[in-house]
Amino acid sequence: MPSEKFTYIESTAVPLNIENVDTDQIIPARFLKATTREGFGENLFRDWRYDRNNQPKADFVLNDNKYKGTILVAGKNFGSGSSREHAAWAVHDYGFKVVVSSFFADIFKNNALNNGVLPVQVSAEFLDLIFGEIEKNNKTIVIVDLEKQEIILKESGKKENFEINSYKKECLLNGYDDIDYLLNLKDKIAAFEESK
Amino acid sequence: MAGKTLFDKIWDAHVVDEIKDGPSVLYIDKHLIHEVTSPQAFAGIEKRGLKVFRPQNTVATPDHNIPTVDQHLEIKDQLSRFQVNKLTENCNRHGITLYGLSHPFQGIVHVIGPELGITQPGMTMVCGDSHTSTHGAFGSVAFGIGTSEVEMVLATQCILQPKPKKMRVNVEGELSKGVSAKDVILYIISKMSASGGTGYFIEYAGSAIRSLSMEGRMTVCNMSIESGARGGLIAPDETTFEYIKGREFAPKGSDYDEAVKKWKKLKTDDDAVFDAELNFDAADIEPMITYGTNPGMGVKISSHIPEESKIEKSELLSYQKSLKYMGFAAGEKMVGKAVDYVFVGSCTNGRIEDLRVVADFVKGKKKADNITAWIVPGSKQVEKQANEEGITQILEEAGFKLRQPGCSACLAMNDDKIPEGKLAVATSNRNFEGRQGPGSRTMLASPLTAAAIAVTGTIIDPKTLL
Ligand code: SF4
């Protein structure tokens, strides 16, 4: 999917201090019956967010008015489990542009990047620090600067660098897409098939 | 220069191009698709005005979202019907082979690929499903992808993919009676944790792995993803070649002999170096079961849920949350817990060998009154064979309900849902919260363990009954 350009984000953050958040929690399988990419945000974290009578659960962070923003901060090993890209669509459709964690499952990471959602992997210490600051002050501003590959806590000025491979960084900064890149290689691909 | 791993050999032979400091352009030999993760990919290429680049390299079947009763009738659920019909339309429009609901080859993608001889050593294979790792049992590089990547493969037969690191997991020695491939992999994941394999592609090796049948090897490779690894593979050997021989799409006659010659070269060089290596002793492995809500939370059935003091600090919150969800207490023993449902099926343990194990055990016995037992064959071919071997009859006499092939209660997209609060022992691969239906509680185990529990009605170590 060609996506919007991604450069710099400054936002309050939503803290989801749970480890091993799997794709079945991000978007339960029963919502995978759609044939388009839209509308998954409604069911993001469905079973944590709503009870059996579809009433919002007050103790879940997305239902807590204190926390808002386009940055989701989550515990270690976010996005484990299924390859369903619907998980990345749900995160994106809900309005998150960045997910911060100390560890991401591989497939989720690829899926997020392919949908203009930036997974920012930080150290366990820095993750603790972010959770700590948000807990103290729910208005804590987090800055994610893709160009500089930096995540900064605005008030305290504490920051950390994050990794992203330079190809993917270019894609995000410019809104490019992998398929365009591959389509330009069709002759080379055909030649490869010949040589096999 | 150090030698190459099997993974390197296959990967490197499929690299069309490299992006500096970026992913490789990897050529894909076989692409499997199903109804749930493909519609948006077809829509994507059509929006760009493209046709499928190599339709002959893709095979399709509906499996995730189909009913497992009355498959000859129109699908009742409107959204499911729409999605399955969409797959048919897309395949027809793009000239892709489809094994639809009425076709004798239909089944779970990861069951039909191997049984039809589509899966072969040395291939690169992908599917929009994380358990594509199953096909690694044949010495292929197979892994799950997202829908954007499905779109890439449809459009160009390639994907952009960073090369994973390599890990070898050795299991040496002899497995004891009652210990199956499922116990081996649950044991490995319990040692590695649900994220210990992230960033890696695993090669399974050692005498205990070699001793496994192809079905057993598929079970092991299938669950690679549950440790976070992209995939797992096992070097092909005589067991592999024998399994492939004579299958529908396997090479025949002299082509087969030629292929075997090539396949025999597919192994890791003695001096190859892995980024990580783990060693396990087969003698330490016992029948396993999970107690929590990720597949890494497994223990020997004969033992206890770990005490809180044994859990690493970073895992503590997840551990507490899991026990609360499961309704279990720290330190509790596993044996004796009453179970409500037994589910035998899925791409992990829904093959003919798995059904045979269950039938052997329950023959002449009855399931316990408190148990609802479902058996869902992995494919139409498995179903047919089970009928021919008399397995179906044995299972029905024991009080098991047999359903038609599909993913079924493994992910509960159709009506096969474990009711809220009920405790299920499942031969599938995921015990996530609500995986088998909202509020359902799942414990993962082997087909033998599942059969034993179905008969006794409570958690039991099958070794004590052999
Ligand atoms: S059986 Fe379960 S794990 Fe296997 S492909 Fe189907 S849903 Fe996925």
Side-chain angles (χ1 to χ4, degrees):
Chain A
M1 265 308 259
S3 43
E4 316 97 68
K5 294 183 186 178
F6 186 115
T7 45
Y8 180 95
I9 284 204
E10 184 170 330
S11 168
T12 49
V14 178
L16 182 65
N17 197 352
I18 302 171
E19 289 194 354
N20 301 314
V21 174
D22 60 71
T23 46
D24 280 73
Q25 308 319 314
I26 301 174
I27 184 88
R30 61 187 190 281
F31 300 112
L32 308 187
K33 298 188 184 200
T35 51
T36 62
R37 290 172 184 251
E38 290 79 36
F40 288 98
E42 252 175 72
N43 296 314
L44 175 70
F45 298 120
R46 180 76 205 195
D47 293 337
W48 286 348
R49 220 163 122 198
Y50 297 100
D51 66 18
R52 300 284 171 263
N53 304 316
N54 295 322
Q55 294 307 307
K57 293 184 186 174
D59 61 352
F60 187 62
V61 67
L62 291 196
N63 296 325
D64 188 337
N65 274 329
K66 271 201 342 239
Y67 301 109
K68 292 214 164 3
T70 55
I71 299 177
L72 177 67
V73 186
K76 182 182 137 193
N77 198 25
F78 187 84
S80 58
S82 134
S83 61
R84 61 185 72 154
E85 194 161 316
H86 313 69
W89 299 336
V91 168
H92 180 265
D93 193 55
Y94 184 84
F96 290 120
K97 303 238 181 293
V98 174
V99 184
V100 181
S101 177
S102 59
F103 207 78
F104 289 94
D106 286 330
I107 305 183
F108 178 81
K109 199 194 283 181
N110 283 354
N111 286 342
L113 286 167
N114 283 335
N115 287 280
V117 172
L118 178 64
V120 173
Q121 187 161 327
V122 296
S123 66
E125 297 73 41
F126 198 75
L127 187 68
D128 277 347
L129 194 87
I130 308 176
F131 279 131
E133 297 222 352
I134 298 174
E135 199 177 314
K136 266 187 280 166
N137 170 14
N138 64 312
K139 300 250 159 42
T140 297
I141 300 279
V142 181
I143 297 170
V144 173
D145 186 336
L146 178 58
E147 187 65 64
K148 292 197 187 130
Q149 296 181 219
E150 264 178 5
I151 174 167
I152 307 153
L153 291 165
K154 194 173 185 184
E155 286 79 8
S156 65
K158 289 189 180 125
K159 59 179 160 184
E160 193 170 273
N161 285 95
F162 62 86
E163 293 285 325
I164 178 168
N165 81 48
S166 55
Y167 166 80
K168 272 293 169 197
K169 182 173 171 179
E170 279 306 298
C171 287
L172 281 176
L173 288 174
N174 298 299
Y176 293 161
D177 141 330
D178 285 351
I179 298 186
D180 294 332
Y181 184 91
L182 286 171
L183 287 171
N184 284 325
L185 293 179
K186 270 201 173 162
D187 292 344
K188 218 169 177 174
I189 296 168
F192 175 86
E193 288 175 323
E194 285 294 311
S195 72
K196 267 181 32 130
Chain B
M1 218 181 89
K4 279 181 155 192
T5 68
L6 171 57
F7 174 80
D8 286 325
K9 288 181 188 178
I10 301 172
W11 180 280
D12 295 352
H14 288 82
V15 171
V16 176
D17 205 1
E18 303 260 20
I19 301 175
K20 196 175 164 288
D21 195 19
S24 310
V25 177
L26 193 70
Y27 188 82
I28 301 303
D29 294 320
K30 275 289 169 218
H31 183 203
L32 305 172
I33 58 172
H34 60 84
E35 75 280 22
V36 175
T37 56
S38 68
Q40 294 87 350
F42 280 105
I45 64 164
E46 287 175 6
K47 213 167 135 196
R48 293 170 198 255
L50 299 170
K51 291 286 285 172
V52 172
F53 185 56
R54 296 289 181 251
Q56 68 276 21
N57 293 15
T58 296
V59 176
T61 195
D63 55 2
H64 282 63
N65 195 0
I66 54 171
T68 52
V69 289
D70 294 334
Q71 285 184 347
H72 61 290
L73 301 177
E74 190 175 64
I75 300 175
K76 282 203 202 99
D77 181 279
Q78 196 193 333
L79 289 172
S80 303
R81 186 174 67 240
F82 190 70
Q83 203 175 48
V84 171
N85 289 345
K86 198 93 196 160
L87 180 70
T88 311
E89 289 162 22
N90 285 331
C91 288
N92 289 344
R93 206 163 43 246
H94 289 275
I96 290 170
T97 303
L98 167 76
Y99 301 129
L101 268 187
S102 52
H103 198 283
F105 293 165
Q106 181 270 335
I108 304 173
V109 273
H110 312 312
V111 175
I112 71 167
E115 82 185 358
L116 293 172
I118 294 170
T119 306
Q120 293 168 21
M123 283 182 166
T124 47
M125 296 180 76
V126 293
C127 172
D129 185 283
S130 57
H131 295 99
T132 309
S133 57
T134 313
H135 307 267
F138 292 78
S140 61
V141 166
F143 53 92
I145 57 176
T147 298
S148 294
E149 293 166 320
V150 172
E151 193 177 330
M152 290 178 212
V153 182
L154 291 177
T156 68
Q157 205 55 40
C158 288
I159 52 171
L160 287 173
Q161 202 68 195
K163 191 175 183 180
K165 291 183 285 184
K166 287 142 301 183
M167 180 190 289
R168 182 159 57 189
V169 173
N170 303 297
V171 188
E172 294 289 351
E174 214 174 305
L175 296 170
S176 44
K177 206 166 154 49
V179 175
S180 69
K182 182 63 161 288
D183 301 305
V184 173
I185 190 66
L186 283 173
Y187 177 83
I188 293 173
I189 301 167
S190 77
K191 297 291 171 192
M192 288 176 68
S193 91
S195 61
T198 305
Y200 290 95
F201 214 95
I202 300 175
E203 178 174 347
Y204 300 96
S207 54
I209 300 290
R210 291 255 151 268
S211 74
L212 297 173
S213 64
M214 284 318 293
E215 280 87 351
R217 295 180 191 187
M218 285 187 245
T219 302
V220 169
C221 289
N222 173 278
M223 289 192 70
S224 303
I225 181 79
E226 308 312 334
S227 71
R230 278 316 292 278
L233 80 174
I234 295 172
D237 60 11
E238 288 304 324
T239 308
T240 323
F241 311 144
E242 259 317 298
Y243 179 97
I244 296 173
K245 199 173 184 172
R247 292 192 181 260
E248 188 77 24
F249 298 107
K252 305 270 156 53
S254 59
D255 285 351
Y256 172 81
D257 299 335
E258 279 306 306
V260 170
K261 257 190 230 155
K262 269 202 316 207
W263 295 340
K264 282 189 171 157
K265 296 194 192 117
L266 292 169
K267 52 173 151 249
T268 291
D269 295 331
D270 292 340
D271 54 345
V273 183
F274 287 83
D275 300 292
E277 192 139 8
L278 295 175
N279 295 293
F280 298 111
D281 184 349
D284 292 338
I285 307 177
E286 279 188 33
M288 298 282 294
I289 196 158
T290 62
Y291 63 89
T293 55
N294 76 55
M297 303 173 90
V299 288
K300 292 176 181 169
I301 300 181
S302 58
S303 69
H304 301 78
I305 294 176
E307 296 287 353
E308 215 172 282
S309 58
K310 292 273 184 322
I311 304 295
E312 280 188 44
K313 192 174 152 264
S314 71
E315 297 278 345
L316 201 59
L317 271 176
S318 299
Y319 163 89
Q320 288 163 339
K321 191 168 182 293
S322 274
L323 289 191
K324 187 166 166 231
Y325 182 85
M326 294 299 287
F328 296 160
E332 225 179 350
K333 76 171 200 286
M334 304 306 295
V335 170
K337 282 185 187 305
V339 172
D340 307 301
Y341 280 76
V342 167
F343 168 64
V344 177
S346 90
C347 59
T348 317
N349 285 120
R351 283 175 286 268
I352 189 69
E353 188 174 274
D354 304 311
L355 269 56
R356 279 188 202 129
V357 166
V358 177
D360 273 352
F361 185 88
V362 304
K363 192 169 186 175
K365 303 188 182 85
K366 283 257 180 273
K367 69 157 189 75
D369 289 340
N370 58 311
I371 297 279
T372 305
W374 291 337
I375 299 233
V376 185
S379 71
K380 290 270 190 338
Q381 302 227 88
V382 171
E383 183 183 47
K384 181 163 169 262
Q385 207 172 339
N387 288 336
E388 286 166 5
E389 292 183 20
I391 289 174
T392 308
Q393 203 188 340
I394 295 172
L395 295 171
E396 275 170 350
E397 281 168 10
F400 285 68
K401 286 202 192 87
L402 255 99
R403 295 184 169 243
Q404 290 173 297
C407 293
S408 177
C410 173
L411 92 166
M413 266 190 89
N414 66 359
D415 287 340
D416 304 348
K417 292 182 174 46
I418 307 295
E420 182 167 359
K422 297 291 183 198
L423 187 60
V425 169
T427 65
S428 46
N429 44 45
R430 288 193 173 134
N431 51 357
F432 298 153
E433 282 183 32
R435 169 80 178 183
Q436 299 197 278
S440 63
R441 301 180 295 147
T442 300
M443 308 175 86
L444 304 173
S446 75
L448 177 66
T449 301
I453 292 172
V455 168
T456 56
T458 55
I459 291 183
I460 186 161
D461 182 346
K463 273 178 111 171
T464 60
L465 299 177
L466 294 178

